[in-house]
Amino acid sequence: MESTDKTIIAPAYEEDVLIEELGYDDHFHDHHHGDKYQSNFVTTYIFSQDHKMIAKQFLITGMFWALIGGLMSLVFRLQLGFPEESMAWLKPVLGKWISISEAGVGTLAPEFYYALVTMHGTIIVFFVLTAGLSGTFSNLLIPLQVGARDMASPFLNMLSYWFFFLAGVIMFLSLFLSTGPFSGGWTAYPPLSALPQASSGSGAGMTLWTISLVFFVVSVLLGGVNYITTVLNLRTKGMTMWRLPLTIWAFFVTAILGLLSFPVLFSGFLLLIFDRELGTSFYLNEIFVGGQALEYAGGSPVLYQHLFWFLGHPEVYIIILPAMGIVSEVLSVHARKPIFGYKAMVYSILAIGFLSFIVWAHHMFMSGVNPFISNFFVIFTLIIAVPSAVKVFNWISTLYGGNIRFNAASLFGIGFVSMFISGGLTGIFLGNSAIDIVMHDTYFVVAHFHIVMGVAAMFGMFAGIYHWYPKMFGRFMNDTLGRIHFWGTIIGAYAIFWPMHYLGMAGVPRRYYSFDSFETFRHFGTMNQFITIAAIIVFALQVLFVINFFYSIWYGKKQKTRNPWGATTLEWTTPIRPGHGNWEGKIPTVQRWAYDYGKDGKEFIPQILPPQEGESEEVH
Amino acid sequence: MMDVAVNKEMKGRNKIHPQKFALYAALASIMMMFAAFTSALVVRRAAGNWLEFRLPDIFFYSTAVILLSSVTMQASYYYFKKGNAALYRTLLVITTVLGISFIYLQYQGWTAMYDIGLPLSGGPVSGSFIYLISGAHAAHVLGGIAVLVVALLHAYILPYKATPRRKLRFEMSLIYWHFVDFLWVYLLTFFVLQS
Ligand code: HEM
Ligand SMILES: [Cu+2]
């Protein structure tokens, strides 16, 4: 690897000169044995321990799941938008889940509708927006941006990916069960999740769902331990915490949230597994199924909700924080301006992280929680709006007066801010228990979290992919296609989710297979058709993205300079295609914070550049 | 102004070894899992319909055993550093035996619970919680015993030598063992206070 690269970049890069001069030698290269991470095909592409390869594995697996999850949503959207149309043409794919009447009209089985909604939620939340987002970018950027050769434990890092992969395989298998995958919603509330006989997906489907998620929890924990340790212990010289790029701060706090909240989910699952397999009654009370009284007594389903949402709410921040970090970095680089309010950004990440642990019951205002206790959660929930608003203000101020390059990366960054504002505002509606009592379980909630989490986090991910694509593959994605992707997706996403607010305010409940028997909702038929059509278009645009992504790996425009965006951070000081170990010779040391853009008349000053004669003080 | 001089000062950081730090992070995570179990118990208990009972005494004996094992483990580490290979090895064996006895006593505790009419399932949920929580704890002790077995293999197969690498390993095993001990004391105190 190294030798080929050396020949390409024969004229020394100024980065190399600087690193040679100021960097420090960690004896990475042993002259007798070469690179200490020697590798063959299997250890390079499959059981790789190189954080950059693991990042790509997370990304591509995440993309696979995004397509599956997206396709599922199209199927249930067809049902909602065009309930009268025949779905017979889907029979070859969905098999017995489409039943064909004598007249040849195909209908989607209601159980399968629920299974699709459940799988869509589970897949997107965990596999795409947690593993695909945090897994990809924490892996790619933490070592590169803090100046480390790799993660603290490359081996555990590799395990983290393979546990995720295994979780995926198990979930995928559950799609082919004759009783169908789990169908009780991504939150898996008991009794549907606790009683194998409760619904068709509650048996084997739920068993596989649980096993899959247990593996997933292991993956998150292994990754998280590694990310935290790397950020705290493996920073290069001069990289103080206050010089970390905001990406790293975001990944760091994300990992802490994961490490503290996923074990709680695991506990919740363990109680569930006991109820399912050993006959305990943690979550189950006197229950009749099919007119038969079961033996359970004394359990409380609300207990599960507490355990689930104690993870569930931090989880939504586990999803959004990495996107926030990525957007902060991308906006600053492409606006050619330092991020506005760096310290305020860090403190608000910390505040959000902390507050996210004490608001979980805002998902439970309707579960019979004492209304006085609800008040406590209302107040903390609304307080989260403060650090969130600080961040929004800072992003806008970063853009303000900037010399913005409008490329796919920065557009998705700006789109993120737009989506985060729209979805955050509806969060404040829902955070008031008095309003939530009416809005809970309606399409208003669906609109809220799809905009603020689904779309915004995806946008952060796209911004990151377009921006760091050259770092991953040494080539660029096609920017024109990228901009088409952006404009189509942002318009389309608003077209899908904006109307859902009105559906919700009119009381249309979420998770209904059909609204045939509700006279009041009849006139929403066209609105639902409109949403479905928009969803199909948006999905088509994502296919365009995927094509652009894979095409560019081999045929994209080649990256010719090391630092194509003119960014300050360390990842752009490595060779264009860095080998395992990231830097060929010494490790660079850090001389300044990550946001010296437009300082003292210079467009940007890399972090490795020492302070110059007469340079003004570092400002944050 | 920050300059190279400041960077040199930072040379001495990394006071804590990354692997040890990672271990602490993992322990925090395990702690959260047990915090979730015990909070679940509190929440469930507050909902009423809760049977109070006295924990079988065996659980107190097992506590004494695991506490003692922490002491012997610490002593073994002390002699490991001091260079007394014989005591280091013997104390490690004693620790392992105590660890296994702890598991055995916990098992006795569960049978005792069963005998007084508190089965895992089909009985009052307050009993199920004890099985669940002490069972999850025992699983972590089993993990600790596995670590001890590895430490024993090192102690008896490798020639005695207190290298930094082996010292680190020992310290990590020690931290984990103290942790499962402390965890049990916390859980027991919690059970007692709850009834
Ligand atoms: C100002 C900030 C926010 C507030 C006040 C807020 C408030 C709420 C409330 C009260 C609910 C419960 C609605 C109900 O079920 O009746 C909710 C649901 C939800 N929120 Fe937010 N939210 C905020 C930001 C976010 C963010 C940033 C994300 C994710 C990135 C997010 C993701 C979700 C999800 C996934 C759900 C629904 C889960 C489900 O029931 O399936 N929220 N939000
Ligand atoms: Cu929430």
Side-chain angles (χ1 to χ4, degrees), chain A residues 233 235 243 267 278 298 611, chain B residues 2 13-14 29 33 44 121:
Chain A
N233 294 282
R235 277 169 291 133
R243 285 174 170 181
S267 298
L278 301 175
Chain B
M2 298 286 218
R13 67 197 177 81
N14 281 346
S29 183
M33 183 178 142
R44 173 58 195 83
S121 62

Side-chain angles (χ1 to χ4, degrees), chain A residues 41 43 161 196 379 391-392 417 456 461 553:
Chain A
F41 180 83
T43 56
Y161 172 75
I379 288 169
K391 296 193 78 78
V392 168
V417 179
M461 190 160 158
I553 293 183

Side-chain angles (χ1 to χ4, degrees), chain B residues 36-184:
Chain B
F37 285 138
T38 47
S39 329
L41 192 154
V42 174
V43 169
R44 173 58 195 83
R45 190 181 128 97
N49 184 14
W50 183 261
L51 182 91
E52 307 273 353
F53 61 90
R54 221 178 86 88
L55 270 189
D57 288 340
I58 304 190
F59 286 119
F60 296 93
Y61 304 142
S62 68
T63 312
V65 168
I66 198 161
L67 277 172
L68 188 64
S69 77
S70 248
V71 175
T72 55
M73 183 76 177
Q74 185 71 41
S76 166
Y77 176 62
Y78 175 81
Y79 289 114
F80 170 74
K81 279 199 307 189
K82 279 273 151 186
N84 188 335
L87 266 178
Y88 143 62
R89 289 182 177 137
T90 324
L91 282 162
L92 205 54
V93 175
I94 297 179
T95 310
T96 315
V97 171
L98 287 173
I100 295 168
S101 324
F102 172 79
I103 296 287
Y104 177 74
L105 287 174
Q106 295 297 85
Y107 180 75
Q108 292 294 315
W110 298 325
T111 35
M113 279 186 52
Y114 187 86
D115 292 343
I116 55 173
L118 294 165
L120 168 63
S121 62
V125 74
S126 49
S128 306
F129 267 108
I130 306 283
Y131 285 100
L132 170 86
I133 299 176
S134 58
H137 173 261
H140 286 81
V141 175
L142 282 177
I145 292 175
V147 169
L148 286 178
V149 169
V150 175
L152 277 178
L153 291 178
H154 281 220
Y156 281 95
I157 294 174
L158 302 179
Y160 170 81
K161 205 162 164 230
T163 60
R165 176 88 212 124
R166 282 180 70 183
K167 198 166 148 255
L168 176 72
R169 277 214 182 139
F170 202 140
E171 279 174 6
M172 288 178 54
S173 318
L174 181 71
I175 293 168
Y176 184 76
W177 194 255
H178 284 328
F179 171 77
V180 289
D181 178 2
F182 158 80
L183 184 59
W184 175 248

Side-chain angles (χ1 to χ4, degrees), chain A residues 338-534:
Chain A
I339 190 82
F340 186 88
Y342 173 83
K343 281 202 171 163
M345 285 301 223
V346 174
Y347 287 126
S348 45
I349 291 176
L350 293 171
I352 289 176
F354 172 73
L355 288 170
S356 72
F357 280 104
I358 48 175
V359 298
W360 76 90
H362 66 213
H363 296 274
M364 301 166 58
F365 290 145
M366 287 294 277
S367 332
V369 172
N370 181 329
F372 294 103
I373 294 181
S374 286
N375 283 343
F376 167 91
F377 287 101
V378 168
I379 288 169
F380 285 111
T381 300
L382 297 184
I383 290 179
I384 291 206
V386 177
S388 308
V390 168
K391 296 193 78 78
V392 168
F393 178 82
N394 287 352
W395 287 316
I396 294 175
S397 308
T398 304
L399 291 170
Y400 181 77
N403 187 6
I404 307 173
R405 304 178 186 138
F406 288 103
N407 51 26
S410 66
L411 284 174
F412 272 109
I414 297 168
F416 169 92
V417 179
S418 161
M419 285 293 170
F420 187 70
I421 295 174
S422 310
L425 284 176
T426 52
I428 297 173
F429 285 64
L430 295 172
N432 290 282
S433 55
I435 301 178
D436 187 62
I437 285 171
V438 187
M439 294 300 193
H440 179 65
D441 262 353
T442 67
Y443 269 86
F444 193 87
V445 177
V446 177
H448 158 68
F449 72 78
H450 277 86
I451 288 187
V452 76
M453 178 171 78
V455 183
M458 283 284 187
F459 275 24
M461 190 160 158
F462 287 135
I465 294 174
Y466 283 109
H467 184 85
W468 280 289
Y469 194 87
K471 194 75 253 162
M472 287 192 260
F473 299 105
R475 291 173 185 269
F476 292 89
M477 286 177 74
N478 182 308
D479 204 58
T480 310
L481 287 183
R483 284 189 308 240
I484 294 172
H485 174 215
F486 169 74
W487 287 110
T489 308
I490 190 165
I491 295 170
Y494 272 124
I496 296 170
F497 296 114
W498 200 268
M500 286 190 189
H501 293 100
Y502 301 112
L503 293 178
M505 284 188 266
V508 181
R510 69 194 276 206
R511 292 183 171 145
Y512 272 42
Y513 165 74
S514 146
F515 296 99
D516 280 356
S517 37
F518 298 89
E519 199 48 49
T520 30
F521 301 145
R522 193 146 301 236
H523 61 288
F524 289 124
T526 32
M527 198 183 258
N528 269 324
Q529 286 180 0
F530 173 79
I531 294 176
T532 300
I533 292 168

Side-chain angles (χ1 to χ4, degrees), chain A residues 221 225 229 232-233 235-236 238 243 259-260 263 266-267 271 278-282 298 303 590-591 611 617-618, chain B residues 1-2 7 10-11 13-14 16 18 21-22 25 29 32-33 36-37 40 43-44 49 120-122 125 128-129 132:
Chain A
L221 297 180
V225 167
T229 311
L232 287 182
N233 294 282
R235 277 169 291 133
T236 181
R243 285 174 170 181
L259 208 62
L260 297 181
F266 182 79
S267 298
L271 268 69
L278 301 175
T280 53
S281 309
F282 291 118
L303 179 59
V590 167
Q591 314 287 342
E617 288 278 326
E618 259 185 50
Chain B
M1 227 212 261
M2 298 286 218
N7 297 335
M10 310 203 22
K11 232 177 182 172
R13 67 197 177 81
N14 281 346
I16 169 164
F21 181 85
S29 183
M32 280 308 288
M33 183 178 142
F37 285 138
V43 169
R44 173 58 195 83
N49 184 14
L120 168 63
S121 62
V125 74
S128 306
F129 267 108
L132 170 86

